[in-house]
Amino acid sequence: MDPLNPALRGVLVATLMLLVGVPPTFRLVVFPALERRGIDTTRANDTVLTVVGTALIGAAFTATAIAIGDVRPTDPGSFAAWASTTQPGMAWTGLVAVASMLGALTVTRYLRPRSVPRDHWLAAATVGALAMLVAFCATRYSVAIESSAVALIVKVGHMTGAGLWVGGLVVLAALPTLLPRSLDADDEPARVALAVVRRFSVVAVAGVTVAFATGVVIAAWHVPTPTALATTPYGLLLSAKVGLVLIAAAIGGFNRLIVHERIDRSVRETTDRTVLPGLLTIADPIVATDAVPTITRSVRVELAILLVATALSVVLTTAMTPSYELLGPTVAASGGVFGGVLLGFANLLKLGAVGIALTGSLALGYEVGKLGTAR
Ligand code: HEM
């Protein structure tokens, strides 16, 4: 393998997560929150065009660099033959073709905005990003189970959930650059920040739930025993990654439950400090002028942790041997009893994935309900 491969793959994964998460966050979170208050969207428009355009160029460029590193073509003809006849070659062709079409649409939207309405462009960008993600995942998915279709769907689901979360956080982290410079009236930036966090929570809960549930399913395929989590290199790296994503999720929950409520109470000028009756009360409200800096600071910490977790994920996929491959001979030699443990642990993890999906659905219902009452 080309030594540059994991680094390039990391950039490709990051650009794909941006493409999957940024357009829906603007479509469902940022633009509605601004437009409902009659706030100018010029800066938000410019930002989303720049981010999507740059991510498309980055994705096409890194995918091509990885392909050239893997194939080492001697002439353009051999590269063309690889691109049109082999499975990884066709996946590369599909990814670059979609990136080029979306790139052309993005340039048209930039030059002649009236000919490509914003919401149509964002919808096309979302669908195109998912198509690029499928092409990317088709080059490497889990081979631990017999059905490659199931393995591919779970991997695409995992990265879609991760992309919605990480891509959305990137948008929130850039909140000050999305608001008009003239927006300094009283507590208006704080009200926008509250609306953005409330709307984003629906997207984030959906993304986190899918990422966690599918991640646990892949882990059930790759890590056969509890001890493998603590003794094999793959298991240790996976444990470190899970630790990081749990910390990030806890920060996200803190932002939503505590930071959001402290700003909300300041804006509404209420003295009630109860968040969950009998369970949770909040400290002093955050003054409206500090709202946007406080939220973006906290979101940036959450994002930084997730970027490290993403880097670990890329190392897991490209440079590590899944524990089940290392332990294969041991499993075979140890016979039925070990086999029973193996089955038991995998089933426990899959049960955990169902639990995550149920809890996530409840949290999603709560967020949608909150959004409805906040309108
Ligand atoms: C309990 C939570 C999670 C578990 C158990 C988990 C587990 C895994 C495993 C085992 C893989 C390797 C898949 C393969 O080799 O095909 C993987 C890939 C990946 N995970 Fe997670 N994951 C979790 C959460 C997350 C989160 C929250 C993110 C978002 C930052 C994330 C981002 C990724 C990415 C981007 C990949 C693909 C890397 C690549 O293909 O190069 N995961 N995950």
Side-chain angles (χ1 to χ4, degrees), residues 9 13 17 136 140-142 155 158-159 162 165-166 211-212 215-216 218-219 222 234 238 241-242 245 306 309-310 313-314 316-317:
R9 190 179 172 94
V13 164
M17 292 209 294
F136 170 81
R140 200 185 293 241
Y141 48 81
S142 176
K155 175 110 190 217
H158 188 59
M159 289 188 65
W165 188 11
V166 173
F212 272 67
V216 171
I218 304 174
H222 286 188
Y234 189 94
L238 182 60
K241 170 185 165 171
V242 172
V245 296
L306 282 179
T310 303
S313 309
V314 174
L316 267 183
T317 311

Side-chain angles (χ1 to χ4, degrees), residues 65-76:
I66 292 171
I68 292 173
D70 285 349
V71 181
R72 301 198 177 280
T74 46
D75 58 277

Side-chain angles (χ1 to χ4, degrees), residues 118-140:
R118 187 193 72 204
D119 287 354
H120 292 187
W121 171 69
L122 287 172
T126 305
V127 174
L130 288 176
M132 289 167 70
L133 188 61
V134 172
F136 170 81
C137 290
T139 61
R140 200 185 293 241

Side-chain angles (χ1 to χ4, degrees), residues 223 225-233 235-236 239:
V223 185
T225 64
T227 36
L229 269 179
T231 53
T232 62
L236 284 167
S239 304

Side-chain angles (χ1 to χ4, degrees), residues 101-244:
M101 282 188 287
L102 273 184
L105 198 67
T106 305
V107 171
T108 315
R109 160 105 192 118
Y110 176 72
L111 296 175
R112 302 178 55 196
R114 277 166 200 268
S115 63
V116 184
R118 187 193 72 204
D119 287 354
H120 292 187
W121 171 69
L122 287 172
T126 305
V127 174
L130 288 176
M132 289 167 70
L133 188 61
V134 172
F136 170 81
C137 290
T139 61
R140 200 185 293 241
Y141 48 81
S142 176
V143 291
I145 58 163
E146 261 176 46
S147 168
S148 46
V150 171
L152 178 62
I153 291 169
V154 172
K155 175 110 190 217
V156 171
H158 188 59
M159 289 188 65
T160 303
L164 283 176
W165 188 11
V166 173
L169 285 178
V170 169
V171 177
L172 254 66
L175 190 57
T177 59
L178 307 178
L179 304 177
R181 287 196 180 85
S182 55
L183 193 73
D184 52 9
D186 301 333
D187 52 10
E188 192 62 356
R191 288 185 189 277
V192 175
L194 286 174
V196 165
V197 170
R198 212 160 23 225
R199 284 179 168 272
F200 175 62
S201 296
V202 176
V203 178
V205 166
V208 170
T209 305
V210 174
F212 272 67
T214 49
V216 171
V217 168
I218 304 174
W221 297 338
H222 286 188
V223 185
T225 64
T227 36
L229 269 179
T231 53
T232 62
Y234 189 94
L236 284 167
L237 201 65
L238 182 60
S239 304
K241 170 185 165 171
V242 172
L244 287 175

Side-chain angles (χ1 to χ4, degrees), residues 49-101:
L49 270 168
T50 310
V51 172
V52 170
T54 312
L56 285 170
I57 295 170
F61 179 79
T62 44
T64 306
I66 292 171
I68 292 173
D70 285 349
V71 181
R72 301 198 177 280
T74 46
D75 58 277
S78 65
F79 190 77
W82 171 82
S84 55
T85 55
T86 66
Q87 201 261 349
M90 286 190 281
W92 174 84
T93 309
L95 191 148
V96 172
V98 176
S100 308
M101 282 188 287

